[in-house]
Amino acid sequence: MFSDNKISILDKNNSYEGGLVAGQPLVDAQPCGNHQVLGVSKDCLYQWDLRMWRIVNNFRMYNAYTKLWTDGDTVALGNKLGIVSLSTLGDELKTYSEVTSLVTHVTELKSNKNGGLLVECSKWKQNAVRLIDIQKGKVVGGWPVVNTKIGM
């Protein structure tokens, strides 16, 4: 769980709680693999090792990021322009796709249980939702469709 630049993580064997220190305030943070956490500020992605409570990697970016999702290998970053960047994480962050179908800034990124689909949405535009195929980096569905609201 992430709030106020503090993170709490519980797993089968360990419990971590502490502050994440970065150059700028974080806008989001997510657990990422074994003893790792990714955090994003408006212009940098940080990777922490929780065993040492220190930054082990940081990746400079310039797109005013607002939301982060990761499954450990893939990282999705949403920004204020409605763009979601899909990247692979290793020694460096390699972007393999940028999805540009949302017109307002991304306020949520979630995936389904098997990690094949990513949902992006914006609370700033009513019913603005897009489904993204994570492997292909392409939109496979979205709303609104000709003024049809979700749930109608």
Side-chain angles (χ1 to χ4, degrees):
M1 179 182 353
F2 171 75
S3 65
D4 299 325
N5 271 3
K6 292 191 190 298
I7 191 153
S8 299
I9 296 177
L10 301 171
D11 65 19
K12 293 180 227 171
N13 304 317
N14 301 300
S15 169
Y16 303 99
E17 188 168 318
L20 299 177
V21 179
Q24 296 187 19
L26 298 176
V27 294
D28 200 4
Q30 297 289 323
C32 170
N34 196 19
H35 306 288
Q36 300 282 311
V37 170
L38 288 179
V40 66
S41 68
K42 68 178 186 175
D43 64 356
C44 197
L45 179 71
Y46 300 95
Q47 184 177 13
W48 281 268
D49 185 316
L50 296 178
R51 293 168 291 195
M52 298 180 279
W53 281 104
R54 70 177 184 90
I55 295 171
V56 293
N57 240 333
N58 63 50
F59 306 98
R60 200 83 168 131
M61 301 171 298
Y62 303 98
N63 287 329
Y65 288 101
T66 58
K67 206 63 186 164
L68 164 71
W69 171 87
T70 183
D71 66 359
D73 299 322
T74 304
V75 176
L77 294 161
N79 72 18
K80 288 186 177 183
L81 301 173
I83 298 169
V84 174
S85 298
L86 295 169
S87 306
T88 55
L89 181 63
D91 292 335
E92 53 188 272
L93 193 65
K94 294 182 183 177
T95 300
Y96 66 87
S97 182
E98 286 194 334
V99 179
T100 59
S101 65
L102 203 58
V103 294
T104 61
H105 89 253
V106 177
T107 57
E108 197 61 61
L109 292 170
K110 298 280 184 191
S111 74
N112 64 339
K113 289 184 180 184
N114 72 2
L117 290 175
L118 183 69
V119 176
E120 70 166 319
C121 65
S122 175
K123 70 178 181 180
W124 302 109
K125 183 175 181 184
Q126 184 178 2
N127 296 322
V129 177
R130 302 289 181 267
L131 298 175
I132 301 168
D133 181 311
I134 295 172
Q135 287 184 335
K136 294 178 183 174
K138 304 244 184 244
V139 174
V140 294
W143 294 269
V145 178
V146 192
N147 296 324
T148 302
K149 295 184 180 192
I150 298 171
M152 302 299 268

